[in-house]
Amino acid sequence: MNRRYFIAASGASLLTILAGCKTEPDGEKFVGYWKSDKGNHPALIHIERNGDSFLFKETAWSIIGTVGYQTRTVPATIQKADNILVVADTVHLAYNEKEDAIVSGRMKAHRITEAQYQSAIGKE
C-alpha cells in the first residue's frame, strides 16, 4: 500500500516540476525584428515588451496622406492560447516555429537582426 502512495506522490511531484520548467515568459517568441514578404514594399516590424503587454511598431508603405513609408506603434497582447499576438484588438498574428515567422491572414514576416532592421529603416 505504501508503495502505491509513493509512486502516486512521485508522479504528481514530477508533473508539478515539469509544469514549472517553462523557461520564457508568454509571448517572448514574438519579441524582435521582422520583415514581411510583401514584394516591392516590405513592411518592417519591431515587437517589444511593455510590462505585461507588447508594443507593435510597423513601418509600412502607405498611400493615405503622404505617399511613402509611415510608422505606427500600437499596443498588442497575448491571447490565452499563447501562440496568438493580438495587435490593436484587430489583427491576430500566429507564430510559426518551423519557419521562425509571424503570420496573419494578409502577411507573413520572417525574423531579421536588429542591424538588418536599422539598415532597412535607414533606406526607407
Side-chain angles (χ1 to χ4, degrees), residues 42-58:
L44 297 166
I45 300 165
H46 177 212
I47 301 172
E48 62 184 335
R49 279 208 167 271
N50 184 28
D52 289 338
S53 62
F54 298 86
L55 289 177
F56 182 91
K57 181 178 181 180
E58 179 182 41

Side-chain angles (χ1 to χ4, degrees), residues 66-86:
T66 305
V67 175
Y69 278 93
Q70 304 290 323
T71 300
R72 69 183 184 117
T73 302
V74 294
T77 57
I78 289 293
Q79 197 173 42
K80 292 184 189 209
D82 187 39
N83 197 38
I84 304 294
L85 184 69
V86 181

Side-chain angles (χ1 to χ4, degrees), residues 11-82:
S13 297
L14 180 62
L15 289 174
T16 303
I17 290 169
L18 290 176
C21 285
K22 190 173 184 181
T23 58
E24 66 180 28
D26 289 344
E28 198 62 30
K29 57 191 157 201
F30 290 99
V31 173
Y33 301 91
W34 307 87
K35 184 175 181 181
S36 76
D37 297 341
K38 287 183 180 176
N40 293 337
H41 302 290
L44 297 166
I45 300 165
H46 177 212
I47 301 172
E48 62 184 335
R49 279 208 167 271
N50 184 28
D52 289 338
S53 62
F54 298 86
L55 289 177
F56 182 91
K57 181 178 181 180
E58 179 182 41
T59 302
W61 187 259
S62 176
I63 57 171
I64 299 172
T66 305
V67 175
Y69 278 93
Q70 304 290 323
T71 300
R72 69 183 184 117
T73 302
V74 294
T77 57
I78 289 293
Q79 197 173 42
K80 292 184 189 209
D82 187 39

Side-chain angles (χ1 to χ4, degrees), residues 59 88 106 121:
T59 302
R106 60 186 177 131
I121 288 289

Side-chain angles (χ1 to χ4, degrees), residues 106-120:
R106 60 186 177 131
M107 73 103 184
K108 181 179 195 178
H110 288 91
R111 190 179 302 272
I112 59 174
T113 66
E114 182 178 3
Q116 290 170 315
Y117 177 83
Q118 294 300 337
S119 175

